[in-house]
Amino acid sequence: MLVNYYCIPSGPVSLHSIYYIRRQVEKIIYQEVCKEGSLIRIKASQQMGKTSLIFRLIEQTKKINYQTVYIDLQLADLDIFTSIDKFLHWFCAVTCQQLHLTANLNNYWDNDINCKINCTIYFQEYLLNNINNPVVLIINELNKIFEYPDIAQNFLGLLRSWHEEAKHNDVFKDLRLILVYSTEIYITLNTYESPFNIGLSIKLLEFSLEEIQELAALYGLGWSTTQHNQAKELESLVGGHPYLVQLALCELARYASDNPQAIFKDVIKLDEIYATHLQRLLITLQKYPELAVAFQKLIQYGDSVQLDNKIAYKLESIGLIKIEGNRCRVFCELYRQFFAQQDFDRIFSQKQTDTHTPINTHIHLIDNTTQIYNKRYLDAFLDYWWRKANVENTPLSIALFDVDNFRIYNAMYGQEAGDICLWQVANVVRNTVDYNKQNVLIARYKDDAFAIVLPNTNARKAVKIADNIREQVKNLAIKHVITTNKMLEFPIVTISVGVASVIPDMDVSHNVFTDAAVKALNESKKFQGDYTFVSCNFRYGF
């Protein structure tokens, strides 16, 4: 079933409570919830109104004394997804907490049997048996689990089995499942283990032209069926997106006493009513450069671009694109205009001149010790430039370096002194590379190893940069270790560097490129440190 939302103003319009589902559709969903062992699937991209729908349903179920459990997978810590056993433990504990029950997991969890069986027994013998009324279990942002195929395979199959169990098990008849997600599943599931081909399916769609006109009338704008240019223009601009339509109509309603038709184009501007929404989307892309580069290509080349399925589904879940068969397109003209103006190279380039303040306010992307980017951002940044350099047929270089004999330094002076040493090395690299002229990233690779990503740079230039950095580190004259037996002497801290350079090929993973730099780094350390070595295979321009 495909459904839309109405935004029905009642007195002053609140942007925090603008979505109301059509009464007939709400009634259908409510009737399904009341059925024993029912399963409902609701799909909608962000800000399409699914959250409002969920909480309206919760309010209705409370009126008939149903117990409700609301679990948002976006709020789960990342370590919850390390194994299916850990995930199901967390899932059971959260469910019990919302039902005001003691978890009591140890009495029902047998490590010698399958964790899915444990979870089923726990729900059947403990949780559902201690609740007198039906339980409505709502799992929001289910698509989060798609990123963990092993867990998804097991958990989704478990939900399917509970739904099937309700056909002959009186206990599971009291469990109603509502699965809410914002993108299609992009992992392969066995037909008989998937909950995505059973139950009631709901997809929240954009407003049609007629619905925009009807909604405009509720705002007193008078867009009749014979004079609907404004409605057509609004639909063209925002693609019928309910939230964006709502923002426009709220603004236009302020001018109802004037001539809204005449001022329409002046009111609907990219930098006014949609600024907050667009900035939120831009921040999301900043956090995930692999999505940004794909979206940028779609804006530049249109629906002829073939996107990776996982990338496409993630962009769809954000709401930036629509997937139509085997093709993808930018969701609406508003997005196309706004993001076509963005300088993605600048957005994803590191320009850190203040050595004490991270350039990015997203702290989870910054290494605490050195105040440079961490491995997570490095992978995303490298993926962005790997794709971009492939399209533009330009070289990409990476230099990996680490502090020579750092374990000895750390053992002799202690961890605090070691952290200070790493910060000093990272700082000298920051000051050596010119961020204002080059799109360069410096990140902590792991432990005492660092990475410098150099777009539009061949191996010869990368080696020159690496050698300059080696000299600057030696100029710090950080005292190293002189052992008591005089067998090892390191008067000052030095670094070893491994360089790799290539014109990227999308048939090869950028991980192979990084591995080549690691091998080059290992080769450089054979020269007793303070040396730069270039990869034997990835040495473009050397």
Side-chain angles (χ1 to χ4, degrees):
M1 175 178 291
L2 306 181
V3 302
N4 293 349
Y5 276 120
Y6 269 125
C7 309
I8 305 177
S10 177
V13 179
S14 169
L15 293 183
H16 299 290
S17 57
I18 61 176
Y19 293 114
Y20 292 86
I21 193 167
R22 285 181 176 176
R23 297 302 178 186
Q24 59 183 23
V25 175
E26 186 176 293
K27 183 178 179 180
I28 292 172
I29 298 174
Y30 175 71
Q31 289 174 344
E32 189 71 17
V33 169
C34 292
K35 294 179 181 179
E36 294 180 341
S38 60
L39 185 148
I40 302 170
R41 294 175 285 116
I42 302 174
K43 178 182 181 293
S45 58
Q46 292 184 11
Q47 292 195 315
M48 288 292 287
K50 62 181 185 294
T51 303
S52 295
L53 169 60
I54 291 170
F55 286 107
R56 283 180 61 80
L57 290 173
I58 290 176
E59 287 301 314
Q60 290 198 31
T61 56
K62 285 181 179 179
K63 292 177 181 179
I64 56 174
N65 294 321
Y66 280 18
Q67 299 287 330
T68 58
V69 176
Y70 175 75
I71 298 177
D72 189 336
L73 293 186
Q74 291 283 19
L75 301 179
D77 294 334
L78 291 178
D79 62 345
I80 297 300
F81 299 97
T82 54
S83 71
I84 182 61
D85 187 71
K86 191 166 187 176
F87 176 81
L88 290 180
H89 262 83
W90 172 84
F91 176 71
C92 289
V94 173
T95 302
C96 271
Q97 182 185 46
Q98 295 198 31
L99 292 175
H100 307 293
L101 295 174
T102 303
N104 203 19
L105 279 163
N106 291 335
N107 292 338
Y108 292 87
W109 217 269
D110 186 346
N111 292 328
D112 293 329
I113 63 176
N114 184 295
C115 60
K116 290 189 293 183
I117 296 177
N118 281 326
C119 189
T120 300
I121 293 173
Y122 182 78
F123 262 72
Q124 178 174 323
E125 296 185 3
Y126 177 66
L127 193 148
L128 294 176
N129 262 336
N130 280 282
I131 300 296
N132 296 322
N133 300 322
V135 175
V136 180
L137 175 56
I138 304 169
I139 305 175
N140 193 20
E141 297 297 344
L142 183 67
N143 45 283
K144 175 67 177 178
I145 207 173
F146 300 168
E147 301 173 22
Y148 307 92
D150 290 341
I151 295 177
Q153 293 274 2
N154 285 283
F155 183 61
L156 295 175
L158 180 65
L159 297 180
R160 167 73 180 245
S161 72
W162 289 354
H163 176 69
E164 298 291 345
E165 189 76 11
K167 296 177 182 177
H168 56 80
N169 187 318
D170 289 338
V171 176
F172 275 101
K173 287 180 180 179
D174 281 339
L175 181 64
R176 281 76 159 148
L177 297 172
I178 299 180
L179 311 180
V180 188
Y181 50 102
S182 54
T183 184
E184 298 293 349
I185 186 168
Y186 46 77
I187 60 174
T188 303
L189 290 175
N190 186 306
T191 302
Y192 299 103
E193 295 180 354
S194 170
F196 293 96
N197 56 3
I198 55 175
L200 175 67
S201 178
I202 304 291
K203 185 175 182 180
L204 307 186
L205 297 178
E206 301 80 33
F207 285 139
S208 66
L209 178 61
E210 292 74 18
E211 289 166 333
I212 293 176
Q213 292 172 332
E214 185 174 347
L215 187 58
L218 292 174
Y219 277 90
L221 294 177
W223 293 354
S224 66
T225 54
T226 56
Q227 297 176 335
H228 60 269
N229 288 340
Q230 286 71 34
K232 288 183 64 176
E233 189 170 350
L234 181 56
E235 181 192 37
S236 175
L237 180 66
V238 301
H241 190 296
Y243 177 68
L244 302 181
V245 169
Q246 173 75 23
L247 289 179
L249 296 180
C250 283
E251 185 71 11
L252 289 167
R254 295 169 54 192
Y255 301 93
S257 60
D258 299 322
N259 183 357
Q261 287 79 12
I263 64 170
F264 183 85
K265 292 183 180 180
D266 293 330
V267 174
I268 311 300
K269 292 182 179 178
L270 301 186
D271 56 352
E272 291 185 0
I273 62 173
Y274 296 130
T276 300
H277 176 77
L278 294 170
Q279 286 300 318
R280 181 186 61 81
L281 292 173
L282 183 60
I283 289 172
T284 300
L285 289 182
Q286 283 180 284
K287 292 166 63 177
Y288 302 101
E290 69 277 14
L291 301 184
V293 67
F295 188 55
Q296 183 186 29
K297 288 169 64 177
L298 195 62
I299 290 174
Q300 291 177 338
Y301 303 109
D303 61 6
S304 62
V305 174
Q306 293 292 320
L307 299 182
D308 174 82
N309 284 342
K310 289 185 179 181
I311 295 292
Y313 287 139
K314 288 180 179 181
L315 286 170
E316 183 194 33
S317 72
I318 296 170
L320 286 171
I321 72 169
K322 292 204 71 172
I323 299 176
E324 299 171 341
N326 295 325
R327 292 184 176 274
C328 301
R329 66 172 176 84
V330 178
F331 181 84
C332 63
E333 180 64 16
L334 174 71
Y335 294 168
R336 192 196 65 77
Q337 291 182 27
F338 176 76
F339 287 101
Q341 298 170 6
Q342 305 307 310
D343 185 349
F344 281 85
D345 291 356
R346 179 187 58 79
I347 292 171
F348 296 107
S349 298
Q350 185 186 29
K351 300 181 183 301
Q352 185 173 353
T353 56
D354 183 350
T355 59
H356 300 287
T357 306
I359 69 164
N360 198 307
T361 57
H362 302 288
I363 303 302
H364 63 285
L365 299 178
I366 300 296
D367 175 62
N368 290 330
T369 300
T370 59
Q371 291 298 288
I372 59 177
Y373 282 114
N374 59 21
K375 179 67 162 53
R376 177 181 176 183
Y377 189 84
L378 169 65
D379 290 339
F381 183 91
L382 188 57
D383 182 75
Y384 174 83
W385 281 102
W386 185 262
R387 294 169 182 268
K388 182 176 175 60
N390 169 257
V391 172
E392 298 180 349
N393 198 38
T394 55
L396 178 68
S397 294
I398 185 171
L400 289 182
F401 66 91
D402 66 9
V403 177
D404 295 321
N405 305 295
F406 183 72
R407 289 185 180 178
I408 298 176
Y409 184 97
N410 219 27
M412 293 296 295
Y413 293 111
Q415 183 177 346
E416 184 176 353
D419 288 347
I420 294 174
C421 175
L422 293 177
W423 183 89
Q424 288 177 295
V425 171
N427 192 43
V428 78
V429 177
R430 269 192 296 249
N431 294 332
T432 302
V433 179
D434 187 352
Y435 293 101
N436 294 320
K437 295 181 180 179
Q438 301 179 54
N439 294 317
V440 176
L441 174 78
I442 299 172
R444 190 171 182 179
Y445 185 69
K446 64 177 181 178
D447 300 329
D448 63 320
F450 299 83
I452 308 174
V453 182
L454 300 158
N456 302 306
T457 304
N458 61 26
R460 183 179 297 277
K461 185 176 179 181
V463 168
K464 184 177 180 181
I465 293 172
D467 286 341
N468 186 23
I469 291 173
R470 280 198 303 110
E471 290 302 316
Q472 295 301 322
V473 171
K474 285 192 289 186
N475 289 341
L476 290 174
I478 302 173
K479 183 180 178 181
H480 208 323
V481 178
I482 300 179
T483 60
T484 55
N485 59 15
K486 301 296 183 180
M487 292 183 64
L488 295 173
E489 296 186 7
F490 312 116
I492 60 173
V493 167
T494 58
I495 62 172
S496 295
V497 188
V499 173
S501 181
V502 71
I503 294 181
D505 181 350
M506 290 309 297
D507 292 332
V508 178
S509 168
H510 65 77
N511 292 328
V512 176
F513 178 57
T514 307
D515 290 343
V518 171
K519 292 178 181 178
L521 173 60
N522 292 334
E523 289 296 322
S524 73
K525 298 183 80 66
K526 293 180 181 179
F527 292 87
Q528 303 303 314
D530 190 25
Y531 195 84
T532 301
F533 191 90
V534 183
S535 168
C536 297
N537 298 320
F538 292 81
R539 52 194 296 119
Y540 178 83
F542 190 73

